[in-house]
Amino acid sequence: MSAKTRVPTAINGGPYGQAWSAKADCLQSVTGLILGIFLLFHMHFEASILLGKETFFHMVQFLEGSMFSSTDHGFPIVTKIISVIMLVIVAVHAATALRRFPTQLGQWRAMRGFMSSIKHKDTQLWFWQMITGFLLFFLVSAHLATMILNPEIGPHLSAERVYHDNAWLLYVVFLPIVLFHGIVGLYRVILKWGVSSNRPLIRTIAHVLIVYLLCLGTLSLVTYINIGMELVLPVQPFIPN
């Protein structure tokens, strides 16, 4: 005769039960989608440096609202506000994702055993997304904190940050991790919410995007380093002809 185990009501449907879990799951997907789309735009925005200093300068001014300025210069506070908003979204995304993390040694062992016995590609992607997500909580926070404290962006000022302030050390680690996590996250959201059921096609697109953005980001980073090497301290902001 088996004994019955009484489960508290809160676990069945209270604030920490199934109702909250469904809301947190939805919130995790929404914030992840926002971050993933932002990543795609941000990578191409940064890559405008490949088209020259003037192109990047005018891109920055436009995104910072130069059309609302009498001097045709943008407002750096826009970058600071966007950075604060993205930091909040990152915090919400991380908080909702943490509930999926194994918290006990036995859970880690069970998960590793399952992954060893059943070679499931999506399970392996989820595992590495969990690891990269943990790392990104610190890497993204460091990147956004820099932009909040020093929101000045420009061909020379950004190159100074990358080269003379040694931010390239952060970005070399940051770039592959954020690309893997972001693109795999978009892949999982597409499948999870039924946007497409063609798993092989979506996985192939995700692989191509990761390679493409990694090449694009690497070229951009090398360009910033090369510009930074040519700068003389103290660095003067870039002024277009």
Side-chain angles (χ1 to χ4, degrees):
M1 184 176 180
S2 59
K4 293 183 179 180
T5 302
R6 185 176 297 276
V7 180
T9 305
I11 296 180
N12 290 327
Y16 303 102
Q18 295 176 359
W20 160 246
S21 180
K23 292 177 182 178
D25 205 40
C26 183
L27 190 58
Q28 180 184 350
S29 294
V30 170
T31 53
L33 182 63
I34 293 173
L35 293 171
I37 293 174
F38 178 82
L39 175 64
L40 293 176
F41 280 98
H42 185 61
M43 290 296 299
H44 289 88
F45 154 66
E46 290 291 346
S48 63
I49 191 66
L50 298 174
L51 301 177
K53 294 181 182 180
E54 287 207 20
T55 301
F56 181 72
F57 175 84
H58 291 299
M59 176 71 74
V60 171
Q61 300 307 313
F62 173 76
L63 293 176
E64 290 186 341
S66 60
M67 70 288 293
F68 301 110
S69 171
S70 59
T71 60
D72 291 331
H73 286 280
F75 305 94
I77 194 173
V78 173
T79 297
K80 179 177 291 192
I81 293 172
I82 293 175
S83 298
V84 170
I85 293 173
M86 296 311 298
L87 187 59
V88 171
I89 295 175
V90 167
V92 173
H93 183 70
T96 53
L98 277 174
R99 75 193 199 284
R100 301 290 188 186
F101 276 49
T103 57
Q104 299 177 0
L105 181 60
Q107 293 174 334
W108 278 99
R109 288 175 176 171
M111 182 179 65
R112 295 298 297 171
F114 174 80
M115 292 177 60
S116 299
S117 59
I118 301 178
K119 304 297 183 180
H120 189 256
K121 291 183 180 180
D122 279 10
T123 301
Q124 294 173 348
L125 285 176
W126 173 83
F127 173 79
W128 287 110
Q129 195 185 23
M130 179 179 62
I131 299 300
T132 54
F134 175 77
L135 296 174
L136 281 177
F137 182 76
F138 302 99
L139 294 174
V140 172
S141 298
H143 174 59
L144 291 177
T146 301
M147 301 311 301
I148 292 171
L149 296 175
N150 185 17
E152 297 287 343
I153 300 176
H156 288 176
L157 298 177
S158 297
E160 178 189 19
R161 183 183 296 116
V162 170
Y163 181 73
H164 290 285
D165 295 344
N166 294 316
W168 67 270
L169 294 171
L170 170 66
Y171 296 140
V172 164
V173 178
F174 182 42
L175 181 61
I177 293 177
V178 72
L179 288 179
F180 176 87
H181 186 86
I183 301 304
V184 171
L186 288 176
Y187 159 78
R188 296 185 68 238
V189 167
I190 289 172
L191 293 178
K192 182 180 179 120
W193 296 102
V195 178
S196 173
S197 58
N198 193 336
R199 194 178 299 265
L201 176 61
I202 304 303
R203 187 183 292 132
T204 300
I205 293 175
H207 288 163
V208 171
L209 265 178
I210 290 174
V211 173
Y212 161 68
L213 291 174
L214 186 59
C215 293
L216 187 69
T218 302
L219 288 174
S220 302
L221 183 59
V222 170
T223 302
Y224 284 115
I225 292 175
N226 288 335
I227 294 174
M229 292 173 65
E230 298 173 353
L231 296 176
V232 178
L233 297 177
V235 173
Q236 298 299 318
F238 174 79
I239 301 176
N241 296 324

